Amino acid sequence: MLRVADISKSFGGNRVLRGISFEMKEGEVLGIIGPNGSGKTTLLNIISGVISPDGGEVFFKGKPISRMRPHKRAKMGIARTFQITRLFSNLSVLENVMIALHYGGGQSSEERALDILNMVGLSQKVKDRAGSLSLAQRKRLELARALALGPYLMLLDEIFAGLNPVSVEEIAGLLKRINEERGTALLLVEHVLKALFRLTRRVIVLSEGRIIYEGDPEGLKKDREVIRAYLGEKYAKQEST
Ligand SMILES: Nc1ncnc2c1ncn2[C@@H]1O[C@H](COP(=O)(O)OP(=O)(O)OP(=O)(O)O)[C@@H](O)[C@H]1O
Ligand SMILES: [Mg+2]
C-alpha cells in the first residue's frame, strides 16, 4: 500500500534523510522511533506532502505521489496528525470536523461529524471552542479530523507526547480500535515506547537520517547500533561485553 523508496532530503548542508526505504501493507501498524532530530517528522512531511524529497519516490497504492499536493493525497486516503496540534482554535469542535470532512471531498454532514466525535470520545464537547480543550482532548480532535478523511493510512506524529498515563492508555485503545474495526493502517512516530509496542511488533529506528534497525521490540533492546544511537558509544561497548 505504501512504499517509500530511497528517499533523501537536505536542508542547506544538513542531510536529514539519507536513502530511506520501507514498505507498509494494507492495515498494518508500523512504528518509527529515533533520537531527537533523526528525521522522523521530516519523513512524515514527505509522505503527507508538506515538503518534497530531493531524491527517491513515495508510492501509494502503486502510484508515485511525491509530486502530488497534500490536498490530493488526503483525498487518496492519507491523513495525518501533527506533533503540535493544528486546529482552528476559534471554531467549535464540531466545525473543526465538518471542515475536515469537506477537505476530504466527502459529504460534510453534521451526522457524520457527530459519529466521528463520538468514536474519539468528544461527544460531550461538540459545541466547545477547540482552543478551550485540554491537550488530550486536542489530540482526540486531531484524530477526529484525520478520521474525517476516511483514510487508508494515518500518519501520527507523537500523538502520545505530553499526555498522562491514563490518556495514553485510552488513546492507544482508540487507535487499536480504529485499526481493527476500520482496517486503517497506522504509521506512528513515537517516543512513548510502551504505548507503541501495545500497537505493533514492527518498528523502524532512524538515526542521523538512516534506518539502523527494522524488526520487533525484543531485538531492539539487544541491538548495539540502537543502543549507541540512544545512549552513546560508552554504553554500546559496555553492553557488548
Ligand atoms: N524546514 C526545515 N528547515 C531546516 N531544517 C529543518 C527543517 N525541518 C527539519 N529540519 C532539521 O532536520 C533535522 C531533523 O528534524 P526532524 O524534525 O525531522 O526530526 P525528528 O526526528 O522529528 O525530531 P523530534 O524527535 O525532536 O521531533 C533537524 O536537524 C532539524 O533541525
Ligand atoms: Mg519530530
Side-chain angles (χ1 to χ4, degrees):
M1 181 197 54
L2 178 76
R3 185 156 73 88
V4 170
D6 202 23
I7 288 292
S8 60
K9 182 72 186 177
S10 298
F11 294 110
N14 185 7
R15 291 174 66 203
V16 173
L17 296 174
R18 308 167 182 228
I20 299 294
S21 301
F22 65 90
E23 286 183 37
M24 275 179 82
K25 294 195 185 77
E26 210 133 326
E28 197 179 0
V29 183
L30 172 65
I32 296 187
I33 67 174
N36 295 118
S38 53
K40 304 180 299 294
T41 296
T42 304
L43 183 57
L44 285 201
N45 284 342
I46 287 172
I47 298 170
S48 65
V50 178
I51 57 176
S52 44
D54 299 334
E57 186 56 81
V58 179
F59 297 90
F60 185 63
K61 296 182 168 179
K63 290 198 189 82
I65 60 164
S66 73
R67 260 141 219 95
M68 215 179 255
R69 311 280 307 153
H71 182 78
K72 216 164 158 214
R73 298 189 205 197
K75 280 193 177 163
M76 281 181 87
I78 302 179
R80 72 170 292 176
T81 65
F82 289 89
Q83 192 165 352
I84 302 185
T85 56
R86 294 189 183 179
L87 303 164
F88 299 103
S89 337
N90 285 321
L91 298 183
S92 73
V93 165
L94 181 65
E95 284 163 340
N96 267 274
V97 178
M98 298 281 282
I99 290 168
L101 281 169
H102 183 72
Y103 183 77
Q107 197 197 348
S108 186
S109 77
E110 194 168 309
E111 200 187 334
R112 280 195 63 199
L114 290 172
D115 269 355
I116 294 167
L117 285 167
N118 192 30
M119 174 153 200
V120 302
L122 283 178
S123 51
Q124 304 301 312
K125 298 277 171 190
V126 290
K127 295 231 161 61
D128 292 27
R129 229 170 43 87
S132 75
L133 299 178
S134 70
L135 178 66
Q137 289 164 344
R138 289 207 303 277
K139 299 241 176 173
R140 286 174 188 272
L141 184 51
E142 279 257 323
L143 262 183
R145 286 172 51 81
L147 282 172
L149 301 175
Y152 292 99
L153 169 65
M154 285 214 293
L155 311 170
L156 306 158
D157 199 356
E158 301 199 23
I159 187 105
F160 301 125
L163 301 181
N164 67 40
V166 175
S167 293
V168 166
E169 193 68 13
E170 283 175 6
I171 291 181
L174 176 59
L175 288 173
K176 203 172 170 61
R177 238 174 2 115
I178 291 167
N179 173 249
E180 286 172 358
E181 289 174 14
R182 303 192 167 206
T184 311
L186 307 175
L187 178 53
L188 298 111
V189 162
E190 207 39 73
H191 285 294
V192 183
L193 301 189
K194 196 174 156 215
L196 178 66
F197 296 159
R198 234 190 90 183
L199 291 163
T200 187
R201 315 286 308 150
R202 185 181 169 215
V203 287
I204 282 176
V205 183
L206 277 190
S207 173
E208 296 174 352
R210 286 184 214 283
I211 293 177
I212 59 165
Y213 178 87
E214 183 167 358
D216 62 24
E218 284 69 37
L220 188 69
K221 289 168 201 150
K222 296 182 211 133
D223 191 280
R224 252 196 293 162
E225 219 178 325
V226 173
I227 296 164
R228 190 177 291 125
Y230 274 97
L231 300 171
E233 195 65 33
K234 206 172 115 207
Y235 286 91
K237 279 193 183 133
Q238 280 175 7
E239 284 292 321
S240 67
T241 54

